[in-house]
Amino acid sequence: MISDTHGLLRPEALAALEGVAHILHAGDVGKPGILEALEEIAPVTAIRGNVDTAPWAAALPDTVTVKLGGRRFHMLHDVKELTAPPPGADAVIFGHSHKPGAEARDGVLYLNPGSAGPRRFRLPVTLAVVETGPEGLHHEILPLLD
């Protein structure tokens, strides 16, 4: 999972995503070339963020729920716009704040992979990897820079 690239796709992000089965981009893509480069690694599901206002981004939905590995992932850019997770969602994936973090609420994983694009303030540059399994979801937030 990746978010807030803002037009910058770091080689460290590409290396961290190598070998994944599917990539979720939680918005603020910045440039269409970002999604094209990610598609070379794995299928991509992406949503539109608040900076994705150019005509190419009109094709991106504001929210989407995708089923992967038998689990349902609901994506939106700003989690503050979510009143409740969709029924049956195993995870809510979001971005916007550039702050990586994860917490379980009522059996639903809320995961912000952080920003993989330009550093904002002193926040880390990160993305996340999630594995699905019979026991549920296992996530890891990966720092891309020291």
Side-chain angles (χ1 to χ4, degrees):
M1 277 138 212
I2 191 167
S3 188
D4 295 280
T5 48
H6 290 267
L8 173 62
L9 188 55
R10 298 172 182 275
E12 296 89 350
L14 293 170
L17 292 169
E18 196 63 45
V20 301
H22 200 100
I23 298 171
L24 301 179
H25 194 304
D28 280 359
V29 176
K31 295 179 185 174
I34 300 290
L35 298 179
E36 293 165 6
L38 292 174
E39 288 273 355
E40 292 180 18
I41 297 171
V44 174
T45 300
I47 58 167
R48 184 173 46 246
N50 55 290
V51 303
D52 299 321
T53 58
W56 66 267
L60 297 176
D62 290 325
T63 66
V64 68
T65 301
V66 61
K67 191 171 184 178
L68 300 168
R71 306 291 177 172
R72 291 172 44 104
F73 296 84
H74 181 72
M75 294 175 29
L76 75 163
H77 187 59
D78 186 351
V79 74
K80 291 179 182 175
E81 296 176 4
L82 184 70
T83 55
D90 295 291
V92 173
I93 310 301
F94 60 97
H96 188 60
S97 71
H98 293 226
K99 295 178 186 176
E103 69 174 301
R105 290 187 229 155
D106 300 320
V108 177
L109 172 65
Y110 285 75
L111 175 63
N112 184 337
S115 172
R119 186 183 298 272
R120 184 175 178 198
F121 309 115
R122 294 185 178 261
L123 295 171
V125 177
T126 60
L127 56 74
V129 175
V130 175
E131 294 181 14
T132 61
E135 299 88 32
L137 300 173
H138 172 74
H139 70 277
E140 184 176 4
I141 295 174
L142 304 175
L144 299 177
L145 303 176
D146 292 330

